[in-house]
Amino acid sequence: MAPRESTRTPRAVLACGEIRTCLLPARQALDIRAAAQLLALRADGRTLTSERPGLYARSPDTLTGVDCPLPSANGARVRAVGTVAARAALTEGRVLQTSARFHLPATGPDQRRPWGEYLVRPGVVEPLGKLPHEAVAQGVLGGGRTGDLDAGLIAEGLLTRLLRHPLLDQRPPFRSRPTRLRWAALPAAPGEGPRLERFTLAEDELRTVRLRVPEDTPAAGLAALCEDLALHDWLLTTVVRMLDGVRLGTGAARDTGAVVRTLRPAVDHLLHLWMPRARVSPELAALWDPLEERPGFTRQWRTLVQRIRDQLTLHAIPAPHQEVDPVP
């Protein structure tokens, strides 16, 4: 029997989301069982765990009902109703991410439906009337206005909830800053494959990603791609900051100790996490290619890793004894 028209999932013309990435505030990385306990967001949902190619755990989706205007670059006030899907992931028991996502059809009804009809379509936000998808995509990436639909607030709320979990001792092994990645995916031209149109580093730890993807590309797959981009961008950003300001080459014992204390956490906790595309679907994996060509994520990472290892090796070599003239 065919589903009722009102409950059929409509074809999406825009998918959007936002991701928070941060260091887990715990002295020790969580093992896979503790990670599953941390991410047990729903009693009726199962936390997915994996040990290959590295320890990884992902929560079940949670849904937040929304009824508010959509952000729009041209000032249009389009009301939308539906649910935003959010989830959390933990990589190697050390890097925590929360993300929220939704997708929108080209048109919706003129009046709001009963809530039950939105709940059976998780992650779908339906406009009342026609969707100006290009203007909304620009509005989402630009941040919108107060009161507009904001996936970032939902991701932030989930992050705040997880950071208060009793499993966490609030003693991270080093200082770092969280990052935000905001993304929007528009339809590709007929016959074209997925394409990364723009990756931007903005102020206040914000990154924006604009994509073009074929029809019916799952929003969950797009979210996984963007979570992967966000994870590796956070790793690069964090290691760059570790190296920034370290006093290299002075040779003083006190400076040697400071360099080792600053750089060793990178070796202990971060360097083994670099695995781009490890959990990206094959049809979207090619979207990493532009970032490998320019600015060259992996090339920069390898350079940073080599600098860290060189510095730690250099500071492990005892300084040559310096002769001094006796005091008369």
Side-chain angles (χ1 to χ4, degrees):
M1 181 177 179
R4 292 172 54 199
E5 182 65 28
S6 60
T7 60
R8 184 179 297 133
T9 301
R11 182 175 63 86
V13 296
L14 177 63
C16 306
E18 191 159 333
I19 301 158
R20 300 288 192 269
T21 306
C22 70
L23 182 70
L24 193 74
R27 191 68 182 173
Q28 299 294 328
L30 299 188
D31 62 27
I32 201 67
R33 292 184 180 180
Q37 184 179 348
L38 173 72
L39 301 183
L41 301 182
R42 288 172 28 202
D44 62 341
R46 185 170 64 92
T47 301
L48 300 178
T49 60
S50 171
E51 296 184 359
R52 301 288 185 274
L55 295 181
Y56 178 80
R58 192 180 72 209
S59 76
D61 282 348
T62 63
L63 298 180
T64 300
V66 294
D67 182 349
C68 56
L70 293 169
S72 175
N74 63 9
R77 301 295 281 176
V78 179
R79 180 183 170 191
V81 187
T83 59
V84 175
R87 67 189 186 190
L90 189 64
T91 300
E92 288 290 352
R94 179 52 72 196
V95 182
L96 177 64
Q97 294 182 287
T98 58
S99 67
R101 68 185 187 276
F102 59 93
H103 56 277
L104 301 114
T107 59
D110 293 330
Q111 295 182 343
R112 176 174 155 171
R113 305 177 192 270
W115 263 117
E117 296 187 16
Y118 295 107
L119 293 175
V120 297
R121 293 177 292 183
V124 177
V125 175
E126 197 173 58
L128 299 188
K130 187 176 180 180
L131 177 73
H133 56 277
E134 181 67 41
V136 170
Q138 294 179 28
V140 166
L141 295 178
R145 296 170 292 190
T146 302
D148 289 349
L149 176 55
D150 188 345
L153 289 178
I154 296 172
E156 185 69 29
L158 179 55
L159 180 63
T160 300
R161 170 184 169 185
L162 290 172
L163 292 180
R164 294 171 178 166
H165 199 284
L167 277 173
L168 308 180
D169 59 19
Q170 307 303 322
R171 297 172 59 209
F174 58 92
R175 291 183 180 180
S176 64
R177 300 179 194 172
T179 57
R180 300 177 291 148
L181 186 143
R182 191 178 293 155
W183 61 272
L186 290 152
E192 288 190 356
R195 185 169 83 257
L196 191 153
E197 285 193 331
R198 187 168 63 247
F199 180 93
T200 304
L201 300 181
E203 296 179 358
D204 300 324
E205 321 305 325
L206 173 66
R207 288 82 172 99
T208 62
V209 176
R210 181 182 168 102
L211 306 164
R212 291 277 180 181
V213 296
E215 277 188 24
D216 301 324
T217 301
L222 290 170
L225 166 73
C226 292
E227 288 163 3
D228 195 50
L229 296 177
L231 170 65
H232 290 85
D233 172 77
W234 181 87
L235 288 170
L236 269 177
T237 301
T238 301
V239 172
V240 165
R241 286 180 179 145
M242 282 183 171
L243 283 163
D244 187 31
V246 174
R247 299 179 63 183
L248 302 177
T250 63
R254 62 180 179 275
D255 294 331
T256 295
V259 169
V260 172
R261 285 193 301 272
T262 300
L263 297 184
R264 181 169 179 174
V267 178
D268 292 342
H269 303 286
L270 301 182
L271 298 192
H272 62 293
L273 301 186
W274 191 263
M275 286 183 280
R277 300 184 246 212
R279 292 181 174 84
V280 178
S281 62
E283 59 270 21
L284 295 177
L287 292 175
W288 253 99
D289 292 345
L291 297 177
E292 297 291 26
E293 294 170 7
R294 183 178 180 184
F297 269 41
T298 297
R299 183 167 59 249
Q300 183 183 9
W301 178 258
R302 288 172 179 166
T303 300
L304 294 171
V305 169
Q306 192 59 53
R307 283 189 66 197
I308 289 171
R309 288 176 173 162
D310 287 347
Q311 286 298 320
L312 293 178
T313 299
L314 182 64
H315 285 83
I317 300 173
H321 179 70
Q322 296 180 344
E323 296 290 341
V324 294
D325 294 330
V327 177

